[in-house]
Amino acid sequence: MDKNFQEEQFTGIMKFTPPLYKQRYQFIKDLVGKYKPKKVADLGCADCTLLWMLKFCSCIEVLAGLDICASVMKEKMHRLSPLPVDYLQPAERSLTVTLHHGSVAHKDPCMLGFDLVTCIELIEHLEESELKKFPEVVFGFMAPSIVVISTPNSEFNPLLPGVTLFRHPDHKFEWNRAQFQSWALETARCYDYSVEFTGVGHPPTGMENVGFCTQIGVFVRKYPQTSESAQSEKPTEAVYKTVFKAVYPSLKDEKYLQNAVVSEVIFRAQIIKRSLLDCLMSEHEEYNDDPTERKSKFQPSMNCFSEDLGKLVVEKSMGPFVDGNMVYIPLKTIFSFPKVNRLCGTFEKLCKLIAGKVTLSSDGSAVMLNTEHENEEN
């Protein structure tokens, strides 16, 4: 049975708003917003709900989940896959999501190098032998910068109708605040972490003495991990089984970056072309020119363009022009657009990315578009 569903049965009468499990996940999201970790692992990830929420945090580049029950992970892991929109509009950051089947009592090198490790309602599901190994695996071996551990506060249980011993049939124990804090402080001391205590799920008015429904310990490593300590006694043998992996399309991948740049260049060039041709048409009408006369290499006045485009053309000293049935838009002008500039970084990179993908003038300095296509569209 889903541990969140089981809990909500007991806590529903308390009317936690939002539901208690959502408050725990929001606590983690707020912590991510504060510390901006790039690599996050969720131990005891169950149905992957927290991982799904965290994949939208723009600072995170690596997400990993671990659970002893593969079937629970597989039930909802499809939510962690990229959507069509992720391919149509790749993010600037990279993101890899991996799920592993295994026990938190075992060490695996795939869990090294994480900035934040979350253990939400996990430790109370561990057997005594697993709980003894847990600190060494998480704080000694994995040694992330931050560890967050949440667990039920047994002092709150008398306020939960239907709870006789534990909140969930799989719980091996439930600690009061003194027990949890004693364990957490000793663990922090052994592995050079500091720890602060908080929680979610406020008690009813007048019952504040029982504390939060869920107690939380936030552990922060006191000293940066040295390369020697990171390498010492780290096993090379993998013991977890990978059950899911998704690599999201990213603009850090040259293939996706090129597609994005080419699309943006063509989009900007088409806007400039239409603005130029509209201008030519209006000036023909204004001066009542002979309709059979074709203007060659006509340089339009600035009022042909929008204010922003006009500024760009002025800055580059040379604007787009028409020669015969071709419109020429200088690459320097296109590069001046903020999005193109941000995507490419340098003008040289722009030239490299669009080479062979966009029709350019013989000297490679301008994008060429055919005016005839415009006439066909109209």
Side-chain angles (χ1 to χ4, degrees), residues 41-272:
D42 183 28
L43 308 186
C45 62
D47 65 0
C48 308
T49 298
L50 178 57
L51 293 172
W52 176 80
M53 291 175 66
L54 293 179
K55 81 170 190 171
F56 298 102
C57 298
S58 59
C59 63
I60 296 177
E61 297 181 356
V62 175
L63 276 174
L66 173 69
D67 204 277
I68 195 67
C69 183
S71 60
V72 175
M73 286 190 292
K74 291 178 179 179
E75 203 173 303
K76 297 287 183 68
M77 68 185 185
H78 63 274
R79 296 188 299 169
L80 301 176
S81 298
L83 298 172
V85 68
D86 294 313
Y87 291 94
L88 293 172
Q89 297 177 324
E92 294 189 20
R93 58 142 181 183
S94 59
L95 176 62
T96 300
V97 184
T98 311
L99 298 179
H100 305 285
H101 176 217
S103 168
V104 294
H106 299 148
K107 300 175 181 178
D108 190 301
C110 71
M111 284 295 176
L112 294 175
F114 284 85
D115 304 308
L116 169 64
V117 169
T118 60
C119 309
I120 307 303
E121 307 300 278
L122 167 67
I123 60 173
E124 64 272 12
H125 291 270
L126 302 180
E127 299 285 355
E128 185 177 353
S129 60
E130 295 172 319
L131 184 63
K132 286 182 178 178
K133 296 176 181 177
F134 175 82
E136 172 56 27
V137 173
V138 176
F139 296 93
F141 175 72
M142 295 176 64
S145 300
I146 303 172
V147 179
V148 179
I149 298 177
S150 82
T151 191
N153 169 21
S154 64
E155 295 170 74
F156 203 101
N157 287 356
L159 303 181
L160 303 176
V163 176
T164 53
L165 180 61
F166 298 144
R167 300 181 194 179
H168 190 286
D170 187 55
H171 286 185
K172 308 305 186 291
F173 61 89
E174 288 182 5
W175 283 333
N176 60 34
R177 285 172 292 173
Q179 290 171 313
F180 175 56
Q181 291 178 18
S182 174
W183 175 87
L185 287 167
E186 177 61 19
T187 299
R189 185 191 65 79
C190 288
Y191 296 98
D192 287 325
Y193 279 76
S194 63
V195 59
E196 292 185 359
F197 300 101
T198 182
V200 295
H202 289 272
T205 303
M207 301 294 293
E208 289 83 3
N209 62 309
V210 303
F212 293 104
C213 188
T214 294
Q215 50 186 334
I216 297 174
V218 179
F219 301 76
V220 178
R221 198 175 64 219
K222 291 182 178 180
Y223 313 108
Q225 195 174 26
T226 64
S227 57
E228 287 185 7
S229 64
Q231 295 297 326
S232 64
E233 300 181 6
K234 304 295 186 185
T236 55
E237 183 181 353
V239 294
Y240 298 157
K241 180 183 178 182
T242 300
V243 296
F244 174 88
K245 185 172 183 178
V247 180
Y248 278 64
S250 163
L251 295 180
K252 290 186 177 181
D253 184 322
E254 191 86 355
K255 175 180 68 175
Y256 293 111
L257 176 61
Q258 183 179 53
N259 289 341
V261 170
V262 169
S263 295
E264 188 65 18
V265 166
I266 293 174
F267 173 69
R268 295 298 173 184
Q270 290 285 1
I271 290 177
I272 294 172

